[in-house]
Amino acid sequence: MEGCSEPQLDAKSKVTSQLVDFQWKLGMAVSSDSCRSLKYPYVSVLLKVADPSGQVKNKSFEMTIPQFQNFYRQFKEIAAVIETV
């Protein structure tokens, strides 16, 4: 995911979905077809998102630990901004 630009929202952007649930778990990749001993930690994330009609869809993805730490930091920043509204 490095090098990808993140979409930026401004005050005029419309919210098209609502976060219903957020779950995460820490995992450890211990081996793969090409490597017998990985010992690579990762975070698996499951988001439940409701579209404007109310239909809930699951979105899942995995991140490295540094990616998750950045993701968490951004969520904290968003929460701080929301509290001021």
Side-chain angles (χ1 to χ4, degrees):
M1 292 189 113
E2 287 183 20
C4 296
S5 68
E6 299 291 327
Q8 299 296 314
L9 297 177
D10 61 23
K12 296 178 184 177
S13 298
K14 289 186 177 182
V15 175
T16 58
S17 299
Q18 178 181 2
L19 181 62
V20 176
D21 190 27
F22 176 92
Q23 298 176 14
W24 65 274
K25 64 181 175 180
L26 183 61
M28 177 74 76
V30 292
S31 67
S32 72
D33 292 339
S34 61
C35 184
R36 290 183 182 231
S37 180
L38 286 176
K39 296 181 183 170
Y40 186 82
Y42 65 93
V43 177
S44 179
V45 177
L46 174 64
L47 303 176
K48 291 187 179 187
V49 181
D51 65 18
S53 71
Q55 183 177 5
V56 177
K57 295 182 180 180
N58 291 332
K59 308 280 184 179
S60 61
F61 52 94
E62 293 179 352
M63 293 183 274
T64 64
I65 300 300
Q67 288 171 328
F68 181 72
Q69 289 169 331
N70 184 48
F71 183 74
Y72 175 74
R73 181 186 52 77
Q74 290 175 353
F75 257 74
K76 284 176 51 177
E77 290 173 4
I78 292 168
V81 170
I82 289 172
E83 286 181 10
T84 65
V85 176

